[in-house]
Amino acid sequence: MPGQLVANPYETAPLITSVPQSTGWQPAPLLPYGAMAMAPQVAPRARVDNVAAWMLVGAPILWILASIVALQSGVSNTTLGMGLLLALVNTLLALWDIANVRRAGIAISTGMWITVFLFVPAYLIQRTLRSKQTWWIPALWVVVWIVSLAATPVISYLGGVEYDAQYVEEEIEADLAELYELPGAEVTCPDAAIAPVGSFFSCDVVYSDGSTETVNVDVLDWTGGWNWRI
């Protein structure tokens, strides 16, 4: 009708871009057309130096080599000192590895070296979980440990078999008394009664009449089988 305003049906309502401050809500800033919101950049984690960890993996092999050298030198590899030496080496490697992990920006407790002293795989598993490193390290430790157990015959052939000297002495004395009717004989074997498979070590015999003799103890196999001969 003439003189009457008619609303334009195509006119859109004004766009609300803000709300009263009392609501506490603020609109997100408008980005230019085609722009994309980017997530904040995170600095990449530094690469962890795994040298000490791999040396821990190889520790059982090093122990085999050390045992062979010790036995060849006539040194017992079952003494407390040898066990403490292995524990010391593992502990030093663990402390070195913990320092490497920390340098990579990963939080790790220095006290974790205690797990190495008790059980090396426990440390390697904790290390892997915290540093997100490869699981090959703890897995290969288990493999190397099994191989080291299977290498016992190698130690016996290359290094030697170690015997309890007192046990060997008592057995020879009993044989002399029962088989040779020589009671009262005293047998003295080396404190470290060690010899490779196929070889022998010697013991001294003092008979009741004061005469002396030397007997040889032959090492028959890697399991510790032996016999003695005059």
Side-chain angles (χ1 to χ4, degrees), residues 5 37 109 209:
L5 295 177
S109 172
D209 61 1

Side-chain angles (χ1 to χ4, degrees), residues 47-210:
R47 182 176 180 272
V48 179
D49 185 351
N50 291 325
V51 172
W54 283 115
M55 291 182 70
L56 273 173
V57 171
I61 300 299
L62 295 177
W63 175 251
I64 291 175
L65 298 177
S67 297
I68 292 174
V69 172
L71 290 169
Q72 287 179 343
S73 304
V75 178
S76 172
N77 71 335
T78 61
T79 60
L80 178 61
M82 290 290 287
L84 290 177
L85 178 61
L86 176 63
L88 176 62
V89 170
N90 283 341
T91 300
L92 292 177
L93 288 175
L95 291 174
W96 179 17
D97 184 61
I98 289 172
N100 289 340
V101 173
R102 284 182 167 181
R103 274 194 293 270
I106 302 171
I108 187 171
S109 172
T110 306
M112 281 183 61
W113 69 267
I114 298 177
T115 59
V116 172
F117 192 83
L118 299 175
F119 194 45
V120 174
Y123 167 78
L124 294 177
I125 291 173
Q126 290 185 61
R127 175 194 189 275
T128 301
L129 291 173
R130 296 193 183 191
S131 63
K132 309 301 182 184
Q133 295 295 296
T134 174
W135 281 96
W136 278 109
I137 293 177
L140 285 180
W141 186 94
V142 175
V143 173
V144 171
W145 179 71
I146 293 174
V147 170
S148 68
L149 293 180
T152 301
V154 177
I155 298 176
S156 300
Y157 278 94
L158 298 181
V161 180
E162 183 175 0
Y163 296 91
D164 181 348
Q166 182 177 355
Y167 169 76
V168 174
E169 292 167 355
E170 292 174 351
E171 288 294 307
I172 296 175
E173 290 172 357
D175 287 348
L176 288 171
E178 296 176 9
L179 302 178
Y180 295 90
E181 298 182 353
L182 294 171
E186 294 184 2
V187 179
T188 303
C189 295
D191 291 336
I194 302 170
V197 175
S199 184
F200 65 90
F201 60 89
S202 299
C203 300
D204 297 325
V205 182
V206 178
Y207 296 106
S208 58
D209 61 1

